[in-house]
Amino acid sequence: MSNPSVKDRISGLPDPVLCHLLSFLPTKCAMRCSILSTRWKNIWDSVPNLDFENKDKSDSVGFMNFVDHILNFPGSVDIQKFRLHCSCVGDYTRIDGWIRTAIRRKAVELDIGVSNTGKTLELPKSVFMCKTLVVLKVKSNVITYNPPTSGCFPSLKFLHITAEGPYCDSVENLLSCCPVLEDLIIDITLGVRNCNFKISASELKRLSITFHHLLIHLGGEKVFINAPKLENFDVKEDILANYCLENAKSLVKANVDLCCYCVHRDVKFVTNATALLAGISNVKCLCLSARVLRDHCLPAFDNLSELKLVLYDFYNWDLLMKLLDKSPNLEHLVLEHKELRWHTPEYVPACLTSHLKTITIRGFKGYQHEKKVARFLFENGIVLDKMAIYNDLGEEFTLFQRGSGTCLAI
């Protein structure tokens, strides 16, 4: 039995607050709240966010009817966020209509996920011309893009495209028609043919590119980037594309993950790695994760002050020494690795004796060669303020001779 002394405080909240609370729920759940009391009966249809996902793949008809019912409900408000994720819905006419309805109702954020087999679904032209659209996220293996020749995306600032299959090449059509775009995320699984991408965005500040290849012997994509205001750049690939960065002088941070296998003897990989790193050599903060990268691919990183280096099995330590040598103004170093071999170098990189202030090391297991690395850095870090090792070197580390009398050993 209900306790009459317990007051329903939530129902006493103003309508805008209740709408805000319901906006975090999937639309079906928000609609169910209308049965809680008469106070909630008409609140859900004022919620500006609509979220549809057909988690029950066996009831696609029921899902389509529900979406139709909500979108055709009389007196509905403008849409702030429209999320539609559906798979195995073969009626593309209805999907197209739902997207168009969201655009007519002045959607600010559009999040579309459509997966299927068979024919393609072209993104409606009204999406490209929408003046209210600020955020666009699309995840699909069937959606293609054919934008108008002018007037596209006048307000779009955030674009996240996840694509796979034979229609990835149409993604390129999007990448040069976003005049005010600031954030771009591209996550593509490539099939049996290569794709080339030209990214030209005068206001772009953050760019993330991830390429996956279904066939390891493929690769060879070309990526041209012209983004004079680009500040953050992330790239993750299993087979490295040919990158050409133009006007990258504003770049501050870069995260390069070259999770490549079986390509360390590939001349094309060496050439592409050299070009990519040269294009980002102006960065101040770099995270570099590499399995097979060789030291002769490295340019000079004269502005680099923070470096995180992740190394893997069957590697050598020459890359670390070369990076230190190529980064004369480095102040902060984070080192992660798995079991490697170390040969004490015959010289000390300039950054160790002049600028390097902090060193953080993860992944050490207490092997002799690991102790040699820690000792070399600790003893030659003349201006070190702190050196931290978060693994199994034990107390021996604190007993090493210090290059800096003020260095804190953790």
Side-chain angles (χ1 to χ4, degrees):
M1 296 179 63
S2 61
N3 188 344
S5 64
V6 178
K7 185 177 180 180
D8 182 2
R9 297 182 181 273
I10 295 180
S11 295
L13 294 172
D15 285 5
V17 176
L18 294 178
C19 286
H20 181 70
L21 293 175
L22 292 179
S23 70
F24 294 98
L25 297 177
T27 298
K28 183 170 286 188
C29 295
M31 187 178 181
R32 286 171 178 168
C33 289
S34 62
I35 67 174
L36 294 177
S37 69
T38 54
R39 172 73 178 86
W40 289 78
K41 186 175 181 180
N42 296 317
I43 295 295
W44 72 268
D45 61 349
S46 299
V47 175
N49 295 352
L50 296 179
D51 185 344
F52 303 104
E53 182 173 357
N54 68 328
K55 295 182 179 180
D56 184 3
K57 307 299 188 297
S58 63
D59 187 21
S60 59
V61 174
F63 172 78
M64 289 188 292
N65 290 337
F66 175 72
V67 177
D68 284 339
H69 172 70
I70 298 299
L71 291 180
N72 293 325
F73 196 84
S76 298
V77 298
D78 289 344
I79 296 176
Q80 175 71 25
K81 178 180 178 180
F82 181 77
R83 181 179 181 270
L84 173 66
H85 279 230
C86 55
S87 59
C88 303
V89 175
D91 192 342
Y92 285 0
T93 301
R94 280 170 95 174
I95 295 176
D96 180 272
W98 298 335
I99 297 174
R100 291 176 185 272
T101 299
I103 295 301
R104 282 197 303 271
R105 289 172 56 181
K106 302 179 181 180
V108 175
E109 180 174 345
L110 204 60
D111 184 345
I112 305 297
V114 179
S115 60
N116 215 322
T117 57
K119 60 182 180 179
T120 62
L121 170 64
E122 184 175 308
L123 194 69
K125 291 290 193 296
S126 58
V127 175
F128 297 99
M129 308 304 292
C130 181
K131 295 180 179 180
T132 60
L133 190 64
V134 176
V135 177
L136 175 61
K137 303 176 184 178
V138 183
K139 181 178 182 179
S140 179
N141 64 341
V142 295
I143 290 181
T144 61
Y145 309 93
N146 185 24
T149 56
S150 63
C152 294
F153 295 130
S155 304
L156 190 70
K157 292 187 176 182
F158 183 96
L159 176 62
H160 185 172
I161 297 295
T162 303
E164 61 180 78
Y167 313 114
C168 295
D169 51 355
S170 75
V171 172
E172 184 184 1
N173 298 333
L174 287 174
L175 304 182
S176 297
C177 63
C178 307
V180 297
L181 190 68
E182 296 181 0
D183 290 79
L184 174 59
I185 300 174
I186 303 171
D187 190 338
I188 293 182
T189 300
L190 295 156
V192 297
R193 59 184 180 183
N194 295 332
C195 298
N196 297 323
F197 301 93
K198 181 178 180 180
I199 301 170
S200 181
S202 60
E203 300 298 320
L204 190 65
K205 296 178 180 179
R206 289 163 290 273
L207 172 61
S208 176
I209 298 177
T210 303
F211 287 155
H212 316 270
H213 290 81
L214 296 177
L215 301 175
I216 199 67
H217 66 275
L218 293 178
E221 291 75 29
K222 295 181 179 180
V223 182
F224 175 81
I225 302 170
N226 183 3
K229 295 184 180 180
L230 187 64
E231 297 175 358
N232 294 356
F233 179 45
D234 290 2
V235 57
K236 182 177 181 179
E237 294 207 34
D238 50 9
I239 301 176
L240 187 59
N242 179 11
Y243 281 85
C244 177
L245 281 84
E246 192 174 275
N247 295 327
K249 295 181 179 180
S250 298
L251 200 60
V252 177
K253 295 182 180 180
N255 186 348
V256 179
D257 187 349
L258 305 179
C259 47
C260 311
Y261 298 87
C262 306
V263 294
H264 61 284
R265 294 185 178 90
D266 188 349
V267 175
K268 183 183 295 185
F269 171 79
V270 173
T271 301
N272 291 348
T274 303
L276 172 60
L277 294 175
I280 63 171
S281 60
N282 194 55
V283 294
K284 296 180 180 179
C285 305
L286 174 64
C287 178
L288 179 59
S289 178
R291 291 182 179 273
V292 296
L293 188 64
R294 293 295 175 248
D295 54 19
H296 58 267
C297 297
L298 299 176
F301 292 99
D302 293 333
N303 295 326
L304 193 64
S305 61
E306 297 182 19
L307 170 65
K308 179 179 178 180
L309 181 62
V310 183
L311 305 176
Y312 293 85
D313 296 331
F314 308 114
Y315 210 82
N316 59 68
W317 286 97
D318 294 344
L319 182 61
L320 170 62
M321 288 304 300
K322 197 66 174 181
L323 269 170
L324 294 179
D325 199 33
K326 293 278 190 176
S327 310
N329 296 304
L330 189 67
E331 296 182 0
H332 307 283
L333 172 66
V334 177
L335 182 64
E336 294 185 11
H337 82 111
K338 297 186 179 180
E339 188 175 347
L340 309 175
R341 299 299 169 189
W342 165 263
H343 301 285
T344 303
E346 298 178 356
Y347 69 97
V348 178
C351 67
L352 266 177
T353 60
S354 59
H355 288 86
L356 194 60
K357 296 178 181 178
T358 67
I359 298 176
T360 303
I361 298 178
R362 299 184 179 94
F364 277 19
K365 298 180 176 65
Y367 298 123
Q368 283 301 119
H369 64 278
E370 295 172 335
K371 295 177 183 179
K372 291 179 181 179
V373 175
R375 173 172 289 174
F376 176 82
L377 296 173
F378 197 43
E379 292 181 352
N380 291 286
I382 303 300
V383 296
L384 274 179
D385 293 330
K386 184 177 73 172
M387 182 166 174
I389 299 182
Y390 295 99
N391 292 97
D392 301 326
L393 284 188
E395 296 182 359
E396 185 176 351
F397 162 59
T398 61
L399 301 177
F400 292 162
Q401 180 181 343
R402 304 175 187 224
S404 169
T406 60
C407 180
L408 176 64
I410 300 177

